[in-house]
Amino acid sequence: MTSEHLTLEEMEQKYPDEWLFIVDCKIGENTELLSGIVAVHSKSEDDIHEISRHYKGGAAIHYTGRLLPEGIGGFLL
């Protein structure tokens, strides 16, 4: 793990299309993730969820790619 604090934009550039487990998170007033330290990154979502099961403390999970295919939008009801 590196102790480099990155903005969300920097994480997305450094780890394209990967799942991130982020610690020491800075959160905006609307609960959006602003920055943090990438503790683990992986192409596999399962890897990140396995790590999160053993972590004690505040953290975030973020995917840097598209979750839906191009041209398909999503919304919650």
Side-chain angles (χ1 to χ4, degrees), residues 5-58:
H5 215 93
L6 301 173
T7 65
L8 188 57
E9 183 177 297
E10 290 168 329
M11 291 177 206
E12 291 176 347
Q13 290 174 359
K14 189 170 185 174
Y15 305 105
D17 300 318
E18 289 195 44
W19 288 92
L20 309 178
F21 185 73
I22 305 160
V23 298
D24 194 23
C25 302
K26 302 294 184 242
I27 306 297
E29 58 185 60
N30 293 322
T31 69
E32 74 274 17
L33 178 64
L34 301 176
S35 65
I37 297 171
V38 177
V40 180
H41 60 96
S42 176
K43 294 284 185 186
S44 169
E45 180 181 9
D46 291 339
D47 290 347
I48 298 303
H49 285 289
E50 180 63 28
I51 293 295
S52 72
R53 289 184 32 205
H54 304 287
Y55 184 78
K56 304 290 185 230

